[in-house]
Amino acid sequence: MNKKDPEIKFPCRWEYRVIAIAPEVEKSRAAVTLIGAAEDTVFEIIPGGLSGGGKYQALRVACEVPSLDKAHHIAELLSKAEGVKFVL
């Protein structure tokens, strides 16, 4: 049985889960906003929950992307933002 990847039609809404270091979450939000401005992309940033130990906080970051390459490019930029531990 061959399993195909789902077909994605672009442009489409893309959502990232950004895991930020909790004490630096406001810096992370500001960095995400600056990335959006630099990429001419409007991000919807929705705060998520804290990790069990309170060390990390999740942010849902959503935007419209024109291509898979752009989605990957934005993910790379987000992963390098101040206070960001990783991006899913």
Side-chain angles (χ1 to χ4, degrees):
M1 181 170 151
N2 288 337
K3 191 173 186 178
K4 287 186 173 184
D5 289 333
E7 185 177 332
I8 302 171
K9 295 186 183 197
F10 292 95
C12 69
R13 178 178 167 86
W14 203 269
E15 190 170 298
Y16 305 89
R17 173 75 49 118
V18 175
I19 307 302
I21 299 168
E24 299 180 26
V25 74
E26 288 309 314
K27 289 180 185 177
S28 299
R29 285 178 66 102
V32 167
T33 300
L34 288 174
I35 290 167
E39 293 297 312
D40 197 27
T41 301
V42 177
F43 289 128
E44 178 183 2
I45 305 171
I46 303 163
L50 286 170
S51 63
K55 188 173 180 178
Y56 302 105
Q57 182 169 359
L59 297 172
R60 287 185 8 223
V61 178
C63 64
E64 187 167 304
V65 294
S67 67
L68 186 57
D69 287 339
K70 182 72 170 187
H72 288 198
H73 174 69
I74 290 172
E76 183 177 338
L77 294 174
L78 292 173
S79 70
K80 295 176 183 176
E82 184 175 359
V84 172
K85 184 69 175 173
F86 60 91
V87 175
L88 301 172

